[in-house]
Amino acid sequence: KQEVTQIPAALSVPEGENLVLNCSFTDSAIYNLQWFRQDPGKGLTSLLLIQSSQREQTSGRLNASLDKSSGRSTLYIAASQPGDSATYLCAVRRPPSGSRLTFGEGTQLTVNP
Amino acid sequence: SAVISQKPSRDICQRGTSLTIQCQVDSQVTMMFWYRQQPGQSLTLIATANQGSEATYESGFVIDKFPISRPNLTFSTLTVSNMSPEDSSIYLCSVVQGAEERYTFGSGTRLTVV
């Protein structure tokens, strides 16, 4: 059974810092991995999607890496801003196509002005 | 990616009543998914809804409690029946699309049962 762990559970940083959020998974036979952002009481916004054959994806100040063999992914946020404050969730999908996502517990990020 | 409209965004309900949540997608999708997020926890899949067939429920979730409809390729409903305070959660619908199979989520329904 796939298990997904995110460390740290919570993180508080001053504005402008670069930071790294970690995600680990127990079964390396994944189809892809997706990072989401969730604001309090709201739905999920997709940030980055990494296919199992890829090593990283970038979007603006965000960079996600994937090391399938070690069962790890990191989300790097450059020059953090108060608007980045949210919960960040990683989710993995195993083959075959259409199978469900397994979510981590999330990292609650607070960026202080 | 798909745009999903989910309604209602929030509701406060009396125990013993039922609430139906709607999800409308702006494009046709084969599978729609319903998730529950209990307070302070991550997401748990309730069921997968395919058009024209019965929904497939995950362990711990039953059709009598969470009936689902999927009348066409752009719409689905989830009903939370005979509610108790333990049903207080955020409920989210989701679809997967495209060659890269990216998941998109609705804005969520925040349910409080009193």
Side-chain angles (χ1 to χ4, degrees):
Chain A
K1 176 188 172 185
Q2 179 73 275
E3 293 182 1
V4 181
T5 304
Q6 289 187 246
I7 294 173
L11 182 63
S12 180
V13 300
E15 182 176 4
E17 269 204 11
N18 302 323
L19 55 99
V20 175
L21 308 181
N22 297 290
C23 172
S24 61
F25 45 95
T26 54
D27 185 350
S28 63
I30 65 170
Y31 187 82
N32 60 33
L33 183 146
Q34 203 164 347
W35 282 93
F36 295 92
R37 168 191 172 131
Q38 185 177 31
D39 292 296
K42 303 295 185 182
L44 275 64
T45 300
S46 178
L47 298 174
L48 290 163
L49 170 70
I50 309 178
Q51 301 295 343
S52 62
S53 59
Q54 298 175 324
R55 295 300 300 267
E56 65 177 343
Q57 285 286 325
T58 298
S59 176
R61 295 182 293 109
L62 305 179
N63 176 276
S65 67
L66 174 65
D67 184 342
K68 210 172 67 163
S69 61
S70 67
R72 293 182 181 179
S73 177
T74 61
L75 178 66
Y76 175 82
I77 303 176
S80 58
Q81 303 171 357
D84 295 330
S85 299
T87 296
Y88 291 80
L89 294 156
C90 72
V92 299
R93 270 190 61 209
R94 59 176 174 82
S97 172
S99 62
R100 60 152 136 162
L101 294 175
T102 301
F103 281 87
E105 297 286 327
T107 294
Q108 186 173 349
L109 173 66
T110 302
V111 181
N112 300 300
Chain B
S1 54
V3 175
I4 304 174
S5 299
Q6 185 172 341
K7 296 190 295 187
S9 58
R10 57 171 56 207
D11 207 342
I12 301 173
C13 300
Q14 297 290 323
R15 68 173 68 203
T17 63
S18 298
L19 176 71
T20 295
I21 302 167
Q22 300 179 1
C23 266
Q24 178 74 51
V25 189
D26 68 345
S27 55
Q28 294 184 340
V29 293
T30 304
M31 289 188 288
M32 293 181 74
F33 306 89
W34 287 97
Y35 284 84
R36 180 176 75 180
Q37 187 178 30
Q38 294 178 299
Q41 298 189 23
S42 194
L43 281 75
T44 301
L45 181 64
I46 298 171
T48 302
N50 293 322
Q51 193 266 337
S53 63
E54 292 268 339
T56 303
Y57 288 83
E58 296 296 307
S59 175
F61 297 95
V62 295
I63 188 171
D64 289 346
K65 176 67 176 177
F66 297 101
I68 288 170
S69 78
R70 184 78 202 275
N72 57 52
L73 291 174
T74 63
F75 186 78
S76 180
T77 68
L78 169 75
T79 299
V80 186
S81 303
N82 188 25
M83 289 184 285
S84 66
E86 291 71 33
D87 294 319
S88 297
S89 298
I90 299 173
Y91 292 85
L92 301 111
C93 63
S94 175
V95 302
V96 59
Q97 274 191 316
E100 63 179 359
E101 300 199 1
R102 180 183 296 267
Y103 276 76
T104 303
F105 282 79
S107 53
T109 296
R110 190 167 197 170
L111 171 63
T112 303
V113 183
V114 298

